[in-house]
Amino acid sequence: MPSNKYLFLVLLAGALMVWVIYLGYASHMFRNMQLGKQMLTHARNCNTPLYTPSLLNGRKDVVTVTPWLAPIVWEGTFDMNILDAIYKPQNITVANTVFAVGKYVQFLKDYLESAEQYFMLGYRVHYYIFTDQPEAVPTVTLGADRRITTLKIPGSDRWQEITLRRMEMIENLIETQLVSEADYIFCLDVDTKFYGHWGAESLSRLVAAVHFGFYSASREHFTYERRPESQAYIPYGEGDYYYGGAMIGGLVREVYKVTKTCHLWLDMDKANSIEAVWQEESHLNKYFLYNKPTKLLSPEYLWHGPYAGNEVKIIRFTQVWKDASKVRPN
Amino acid sequence: KLQQCVWWCGCVCVTCVYAFVCAYLLICTYICVCNSRKDVITVTPWLAPVVWEGTFHTTLIDAIYKMQNITVATTVFALGKYVQFLKDFLESAEKHYMQGYRVHYYIFTDQPEAVPTVTLGASRSLTTLKIPSSNRWQEITLRRMERLEKLIETQLSNEVDYIFSLDVDTKFYGHWGVETLGDIVAVIHPGYYSTPRDDFPYERRSESQAYIPYGKGDFYYGGAVIGGRVEKVHKLAKTCRMQLDVDKANSIEAAWQEESHLNKYFLYNKPTKILSPEYLWQDTKYITPDIKIIRFSQVIKNYAKVRPNP
């Protein structure tokens, strides 16, 4: 009889909905969202002087250490006071390199102004701006103990060319100047802006940032270079994380090794007429696979767009929206 | 007939939706589940990793350290009746401790003849160092820092990369490998890893060099394990020894002897890596759910029978 069947159907649907809701509630996803909210409160408490370290209470919704025991830096996992007490006495200098070629000079103002608000405050910072238009570098009021050096480099009519030469430029800069001037270096993309604190918690021997697009993906989906002809080749089944090319950091001598090796691999690829799928980012990922970073920055440190993810409680540094056709030479 | 069709369509739709949502949730869980522990904290507020089972891949870490051709020195003190613990310590170390790496044991003892003969693996050696005994166990434990300092100065600097100073009244029960290596490594005392900081048995008398006031402190570290790079451990041993000397001159002995001074040192010189209580347990303790494996544990002993004094 039709009405009984409909009734049965409705009851079945109802039971299934209840089951699905229960599954969803019990699953990691929803639990993590709840935890995440609790942890944000915890995170805010982290930087108050009365914060007590604990082995059992703290941020548990994210992975805070890699399988080779390098810490992954998330909001709520570190105490600024303790870290500043470790690093401030070391009287360090942090170099910050950025490339602004062609129309990319338009990003410099926001980049520098926001860096002056959030990047390594209280430390000695030396910006190195690589540009083909030194006159276009904006005048920005810098804080105490912070300065800018502009370095003129040739432009190019291929954006891939510009990004590929960065490794070589940074390698030369370190060889000629930084090795005696700076302790740590961060190589960042310029089409970006700081929105939140970026401090001494990011310092370590060799620092990489987890790419925002891949932090919860499994390794088959990473856009590694998959052609064995390229030096950047990483076969399926291998790989730890997908690191963003927009951030390389660490001790000057360690980053020197990164740039030197990547430069070598880029030259080898060029000689073999092959360009890695994501240019230097592909080579960087290869490097970090075999030379594990000693510290990873969570996607808070390399985000894209204004909307945070569930686990990403604070956006510190993000790529700004740009119309690619308007800023790229090709 | 139309109604029957609708009925079957409805059933199929509902089943499809159900299957899809289930699959989505399961896949989401699979992708979001990472290879790590979510029940414990795996990094300190100064971003030093805390080593728990499930947080590291032995293969990955071995790949990093095997290339470096390292030597790990391991010191133990076995005086008076404590020599009885040497056999189990060494035999279990040969099974679990730094397997596949070059290890050099340094046994400080007042009875070199009592050091048992234990079959050592390849690339592993043992040196016995004779030191005078004492009729106070506190005295023995207090002089360890000085001995460690001198050993590093005289013998270890060139030959050895890392050093661990371990208590002898212990036994290895599980894997202890290069995941424990770091610049300066401390272990969480098993008795205090979930207690609030004001309950830590820090030295609370301001007259002692080991004094830590209430409201301060990160963790309570166990004195039974100190590790790290040789030069860093030397600095630790030297500083603690100097502070112990000052206390002695002022006729004060810290609540837990060198462990109190160690905790003071680690408060102002943060360890770069912390070992979870898996790396220092006590055989007498009930195993809590967050401890997935016991690697190294203090054995049950009758204090009256092993200590020269109460």
Side-chain angles (χ1 to χ4, degrees), chain B residues 43-264:
Chain B
V43 87
T44 68
W46 57 95
L47 297 170
V50 183
V51 187
W52 297 88
E53 176 72 359
T55 60
F56 62 93
H57 276 173
T58 314
T59 336
L60 271 176
I61 299 195
D62 274 339
I64 298 175
Y65 283 100
K66 282 252 158 81
M67 280 195 311
Q68 296 176 30
N69 200 19
I70 51 165
T71 304
V72 183
T74 310
T75 67
V76 279
F77 288 75
L79 277 83
K81 294 206 173 70
Y82 277 67
V83 289
Q84 69 186 271
F85 299 113
L86 273 171
K87 188 168 197 296
D88 273 350
F89 176 87
L90 289 169
E91 281 180 352
S92 61
E94 283 303 296
K95 264 199 257 183
H96 299 289
Y97 175 76
M98 298 289 180
Q99 292 301 297
Y101 291 89
R102 197 175 309 115
V103 170
H104 196 146
Y105 300 100
Y106 292 88
I107 321 261
F108 290 89
T109 180
D110 56 344
Q111 309 146 67
E113 65 289 353
V115 175
T117 326
V118 169
T119 326
L120 299 178
S123 274
R124 296 166 86 95
S125 51
L126 191 148
T127 300
T128 306
L129 300 155
K130 189 169 158 73
I131 56 169
S133 185
S134 170
N135 44 17
R136 278 192 76 238
W137 67 265
Q138 295 92 335
E139 204 45 49
I140 295 169
T141 198
L142 287 166
R143 302 254 308 278
R144 295 201 309 182
M145 287 296 182
E146 184 184 350
R147 300 252 172 237
L148 189 58
E149 183 195 349
K150 292 281 176 313
L151 175 73
I152 296 175
E153 267 167 26
T154 54
Q155 279 190 258
L156 296 193
S157 304
N158 294 327
E159 303 167 3
V160 157
D161 305 282
Y162 294 91
I163 179 168
F164 273 101
S165 174
L166 306 172
D167 270 13
V168 74
D169 52 351
T170 52
K171 198 172 159 179
F172 290 89
Y173 290 96
H175 169 90
W176 178 310
V178 286
E179 72 281 355
T180 59
L181 297 181
D183 272 7
I184 187 121
V185 185
V187 74
I188 302 285
H189 192 294
Y192 300 95
Y193 79 96
S194 53
T195 50
R197 119 168 103 191
D198 281 352
D199 290 347
F200 291 163
Y202 289 147
E203 172 54 60
R204 301 296 189 184
R205 293 166 295 176
S206 49
E207 301 77 45
S208 167
Q209 297 300 304
Y211 169 58
I212 296 176
Y214 286 102
K216 280 198 131 102
D218 306 312
F219 300 102
Y220 193 76
Y221 303 105
V225 176
I226 312 165
R229 292 212 150 261
V230 164
E231 58 279 4
K232 302 273 189 206
V233 174
H234 178 258
K235 180 161 170 269
L236 180 162
K238 188 177 169 123
T239 311
C240 286
R241 193 262 306 160
M242 287 184 344
Q243 293 183 329
L244 283 155
D245 283 345
V246 173
D247 266 12
K248 191 167 185 177
N250 294 329
S251 305
I252 183 168
E253 194 177 279
W256 286 101
Q257 295 79 44
E258 51 172 38
E259 189 175 84
S260 306
H261 288 268
L262 194 70
N263 272 278
K264 174 79 176 254

Side-chain angles (χ1 to χ4, degrees), chain A residues 2 19 55 63-64 67 79 216, chain B residues 3 7 18 31 34 41-42 45 57:
Chain A
W19 170 246
L55 280 193
V63 178
T64 54
D79 183 335
S216 54
Chain B
Q3 278 177 337
W7 150 252
Y18 166 69
I31 288 177
C34 309
I41 299 308
T42 56
H57 276 173

Side-chain angles (χ1 to χ4, degrees), chain A residues 30-78:
Chain A
F30 286 92
R31 219 159 357 134
N32 286 343
M33 275 166 64
Q34 303 280 21
L35 263 177
K37 291 197 183 91
Q38 288 170 14
M39 287 310 122
L40 184 55
T41 322
H42 173 84
R44 292 210 183 95
N45 295 336
C46 242
N47 291 313
T48 63
L50 297 174
Y51 173 69
T52 314
S54 164
L55 280 193
L56 302 172
N57 301 314
R59 197 131 179 216
K60 291 182 194 166
D61 59 323
V62 287
V63 178
T64 54
V65 85
T66 69
W68 61 94
L69 295 172
I72 307 177
V73 186
W74 295 87
E75 177 69 0
T77 60
F78 61 92

